[in-house]
Amino acid sequence: MAQRIGERLRRLGFSENVFGETIAFFVARETETVYVMAMGLKIASENLYGRVFKSSTAYKILKSSRASDVSCGVCVSLDPIAFYNSVFDKEKLVECFKNGICLRSICDAYIDTSVERVLDGEDFVEVFLRPVRIRVFRRVPRVFTRASAAIVEALVWLTKMPFLKEDERRWAFEFISMLRETVYRSSSDESHRKVVESIYSLAKRFLEGNVFR
């Protein structure tokens, strides 16, 4: 069974060596409160492994709860707008999660997991998720697009900016600027351009000393 799960994870693109970008839904069983966040995951033995940093709300619940009191659903998606919402419009995705049915519209696949272990780190907790069930919603492959990849990469660097030194922040901003240009060159979709402009503007404000929340 564990081997079969591992094979299915690899078919979805997960590996032991590279973090795959996903959208994670953590649920506190006692209150049924849902916390959503973009999260990098990779295979670790029979589990998926990721890190949750102090800046996220999910960090607090993982620190204050037993692993058995928290569950996690993992959305595998190529939709850059879904990743944008996982950072800036979380309530939209929380409602989608509670609805259940609309997950099919944003997830290519969905993995139900149990939280096996949570280990303390200095600025984050390490989380080990055991896959329980994998549901594939989109069996027909979709083409990879540079615009989608650039938006997700820009989001990753934007969320790192609060933890970087000043010279590293400037480098991150310049990299986000380059990714913004990539989106404009490779996509005329207004939703893509709108979200990358939002990311760029927030990165610029942060670089100028206006810390975003």
Side-chain angles (χ1 to χ4, degrees):
M1 178 64 175
Q3 183 178 8
R4 193 157 59 242
I5 289 287
E7 290 171 357
R8 295 189 69 187
L9 290 175
R10 287 180 176 82
R11 284 201 293 271
L12 290 174
F14 291 102
S15 77
E16 288 88 353
N17 303 316
V18 181
F19 281 99
E21 300 302 326
T22 70
I23 299 170
F25 296 87
F26 287 96
V27 183
R29 298 182 192 276
E30 185 175 345
T31 61
E32 297 187 353
T33 305
V34 181
Y35 304 89
V36 61
M37 62 180 291
M39 186 175 186
L41 293 171
K42 65 181 181 179
I43 296 174
S45 186
E46 299 174 1
N47 299 318
L48 287 171
Y49 164 83
R51 293 172 292 190
V52 178
F53 289 84
K54 283 182 178 180
S55 58
S56 69
T57 308
Y59 175 88
K60 297 175 184 175
I61 187 171
L62 289 167
K63 285 281 289 184
S64 62
S65 307
R66 294 179 302 177
S68 59
D69 293 333
V70 184
S71 63
C72 180
V74 176
C75 172
V76 177
S77 178
L78 285 175
D79 184 356
I81 308 302
F83 279 95
Y84 179 84
N85 289 337
S86 73
V87 177
F88 297 111
D89 198 355
K90 295 176 183 287
E91 282 306 312
K92 182 179 290 186
L93 291 185
V94 168
E95 287 304 312
C96 190
F97 175 84
K98 290 180 178 177
N99 181 330
I101 297 173
C102 77
L103 283 178
R104 294 174 178 269
S105 67
I106 63 169
C107 302
D108 296 340
Y110 189 80
I111 308 168
D112 294 298
T113 77
S114 62
V115 179
E116 289 294 295
R117 283 188 294 157
V118 178
L119 302 178
D120 278 329
E122 185 175 344
D123 295 313
F124 55 82
V125 291
E126 297 179 288
V127 182
F128 294 83
L129 305 172
R130 181 176 295 277
V132 177
R133 179 174 62 157
I134 299 175
R135 288 174 280 171
V136 177
F137 298 139
R138 192 185 302 273
R139 294 185 180 277
V140 179
R142 289 191 290 172
V143 67
F144 172 86
T145 71
R146 293 176 64 211
S148 296
I151 289 170
V152 174
E153 186 71 10
L155 278 169
V156 169
W157 282 100
L158 179 68
T159 55
K160 285 182 177 181
M161 284 185 76
F163 309 102
L164 299 177
K165 297 176 182 177
E166 185 176 350
D167 58 332
E168 294 172 329
R169 265 188 250 128
R170 181 163 296 280
W171 181 92
F173 174 73
E174 291 172 355
F175 189 46
I176 289 171
S177 299
M178 183 189 72
L179 293 167
R180 171 175 172 263
E181 292 301 315
T182 297
V183 172
Y184 271 84
R185 285 198 305 271
S186 59
S187 175
S188 59
D189 189 313
E190 283 303 316
S191 63
H192 288 172
R193 292 184 173 188
K194 182 178 179 180
V195 298
V196 81
E197 281 296 339
S198 175
I199 294 167
Y200 174 81
S201 296
L202 286 167
K204 187 175 182 181
R205 281 171 49 199
F206 187 80
L207 188 67
E208 293 170 348
N210 299 314
V211 181
F212 66 86
R213 299 296 178 189

